[in-house]
Amino acid sequence: MEEKIVTGIYIRVSTEDQAKDGYSISAQRDKLTKYAEANDWDIYDYYVDDGISGKNLDGRPEVIRMLNDVKNKKINNILIYKLDRLTRSVKDLITLIDLFEKHKCTFNSQTEKIDTSNAVGRMFVKIIGIFAEFERENLAERVSLGYEQKTREGNYTNTNGVYGYDYIKGEQRLVVNEYEKELVNRIFDAYIDGYSYFKICKMLNEENVPTKRGGHWSSSTVKSIVNNPLYLGKVRYGVSKKIRDKAFIQDSENVEPIVSQEKWEKANSLVERRKHFCVRRYPSENSYYFHIIKCAKCGGNISARQQNQNGKLYITYKCNNATRGFCECTGFSHNHMENAFLEYLETLESLPPDESILEKENEKNHAEKTIDDLEKKIAKFESKKKLIRTQFINDLLSIDEYRVLSEELDKEIESLQMIIEDNEMIVEDCSSEYIFDDIKNIVTNIKLNWQFLTNKERQQFLEQFVDNIKVEKLSNSEIRIDSVEFMR
């Protein structure tokens, strides 16, 4: 059932408007009432601000009452005579349109032909959005400059706090958390002793040590601690990519150091040295099950690792949650995964090509053409409706004549829409059946030809036709495919 359009009509005049341009309250009320009736909109109420400037929204009680009715779902459409009747401030207009959109309330201006329920109106909103984005960018730039200046003065600006310190909001400063301080030093010591970020995070997770926000540790969290000069009593600016070109580190009298200068420098010199021992990158098509396979035990994603030993490439897969200590699934080789997948393919039903596919495709094409033709007819009827609406507004048609013509056009449109719905069902049925049969035939061919495909072709097949493969490790060498979900 189509939702009723319940309209609030807003009218405003300032003292100087009363005598010019037909902006009087009665003139606006008459024109807007006619416009609402022509569109079959229910009028909920009139909101009239008499003798009040449109410079801003403050001090306009009827605007406030109207906005409260929008928020309380009493009205879902706003109608005004002209945009400047509502506001002359771009900033206020952006705020109002955001509010209307949030509460699913359309917005219409009679003289400017703004109607956010259609494409032209939505284009207007996008133009307004450009102004909003410009305003937000200016604000972001001003905030960024403020943060930069505060950092140069030695203040820590991240109010979320950081591990090792507690942020005192009222005083806008950091104080050392003694328990976390010990753990920060332990992380630095472990890194200096040769532990990787990953081994440190695994150790902390196994000990059930929570992060600052009560979550699990990750390699990136550990890395952010080892790299952070805050633990030396220094604040930094320019961590994010957007402002990295402006990055700097500033000594601070407001932050108490947690680690010694010697320890921090030793750890970070190791960071620089270890950067040279990067893992060699291999083409992703070699590990073509990556991104497709998931752990059957916990549902987590599975990562791939590639190593080259004595000129031979070894590929292994492992559950990410197992890597972090939250799943019992151990790693398995690409070869074992390959054997398990081939065994699974053998269990699938081999279907001969379905001769009805071409018939279904022809039926689908005919239905799509019918829909296209009917939509063009509906567009013509909609144009006629707009024409008679304009004639009625300009007093060229009486209300009775307008209603008779409008009802006839609505019946024609409704009839065509019913036919369109029938044809849309045909398209949907044909599409789903065609895709299902097509995939089954492809799978049948894949079973016969998998061994002749290149790794790249296997990767393309999996990414195009397989949604996910759930894998379970049963023993040191045995892999079981729990399920394979094909794209539908």
Side-chain angles (χ1 to χ4, degrees), residues 137 149 209 218-219 237 264 293 317 334 350 380 406 415 421 440 447:
E137 285 179 355
Q149 183 57 36
V209 177
S218 66
S219 297
Y237 178 82
W264 194 92
I293 52 177
Y317 299 100
H334 178 82
S350 297
K380 289 181 180 178
S406 183
S415 175
E421 288 175 7
K440 280 292 186 182
K447 288 166 62 176

Side-chain angles (χ1 to χ4, degrees), residues 6 47 53 72 86 97 111 165 227 240 274 456 459:
V6 183
Y47 305 85
S53 169
N72 294 324
L86 183 61
I97 287 176
T111 53
Y165 297 93
N227 294 164
S240 69
R274 290 176 184 177
K456 186 66 177 176
Q459 181 191 32

Side-chain angles (χ1 to χ4, degrees), residues 405-440:
L405 291 172
S406 183
E407 285 174 6
E408 288 177 356
L409 291 171
D410 284 338
K411 286 179 181 178
E412 292 284 352
I413 292 171
E414 185 179 355
S415 175
L416 294 177
Q417 284 175 335
M418 290 176 65
I419 300 173
I420 285 176
E421 288 175 7
D422 291 339
N423 280 273
E424 284 176 341
M425 291 179 66
I426 292 172
V427 171
E428 186 176 345
D429 290 342
C430 291
S431 297
S432 60
E433 184 168 347
Y434 177 80
I435 291 171
F436 177 75
D437 287 340
D438 190 37
I439 290 175
K440 280 292 186 182

Side-chain angles (χ1 to χ4, degrees), residues 381 384-385 388-389 391 397-412:
F381 285 134
K384 287 182 181 179
K385 282 186 68 175
I388 63 170
R389 188 181 302 146
Q391 290 173 337
L397 289 174
S398 68
I399 184 68
D400 291 333
E401 289 173 326
Y402 168 73
R403 282 177 175 164
V404 169
L405 291 172
S406 183
E407 285 174 6
E408 288 177 356
L409 291 171
D410 284 338
K411 286 179 181 178
E412 292 284 352

Side-chain angles (χ1 to χ4, degrees), residues 105-117:
C105 179
T106 51
F107 168 62
N108 302 267
S109 169
Q110 182 187 345
T111 53
E112 285 119 345
K113 305 302 179 189
I114 297 169
D115 177 0
T116 58
S117 67

Side-chain angles (χ1 to χ4, degrees), residues 27-45:
Q28 290 183 58
R29 186 182 181 111
D30 181 60
K31 289 178 183 292
L32 294 175
T33 300
K34 270 191 170 185
Y35 191 84
E37 288 176 350
N39 285 281
D40 288 327
W41 294 342
D42 294 340
I43 298 174
Y44 176 78
D45 204 351

Side-chain angles (χ1 to χ4, degrees), residues 14-135:
S14 57
T15 306
E16 67 224 40
D17 290 329
Q18 294 277 12
K20 70 174 185 179
D21 297 330
Y23 283 169
S24 69
I25 291 174
S26 59
Q28 290 183 58
R29 186 182 181 111
D30 181 60
K31 289 178 183 292
L32 294 175
T33 300
K34 270 191 170 185
Y35 191 84
E37 288 176 350
N39 285 281
D40 288 327
W41 294 342
D42 294 340
I43 298 174
Y44 176 78
D45 204 351
Y46 296 86
Y47 305 85
V48 183
D49 278 320
D50 189 359
I52 299 176
S53 169
K55 184 178 180 181
N56 53 51
L57 298 176
D58 296 335
R60 292 161 65 185
E62 288 296 275
V63 162
I64 303 303
R65 185 169 73 89
M66 179 181 71
L67 296 181
N68 285 333
D69 285 347
V70 169
K71 294 174 185 176
N72 294 324
K73 309 295 183 185
K74 293 181 180 179
I75 53 178
N76 57 18
N77 185 41
I78 301 294
L79 176 60
I80 57 174
Y81 180 65
K82 196 175 180 183
L83 195 57
D84 64 7
R85 300 300 87 202
L86 183 61
T87 179
R88 288 176 176 164
S89 163
V90 173
K91 182 179 178 181
D92 285 345
L93 181 59
I94 292 166
T95 302
L96 289 171
I97 287 176
D98 283 344
L99 185 145
F100 295 153
E101 186 173 354
K102 178 181 177 181
H103 295 282
K104 294 182 172 55
C105 179
T106 51
F107 168 62
N108 302 267
S109 169
Q110 182 187 345
T111 53
E112 285 119 345
K113 305 302 179 189
I114 297 169
D115 177 0
T116 58
S117 67
N118 60 41
V120 174
R122 287 191 290 274
M123 180 183 70
F124 168 76
V125 172
K126 287 179 181 177
I127 293 171
I128 293 298
I130 293 171
F131 285 100
E133 185 178 358
F134 176 71
E135 176 64 24

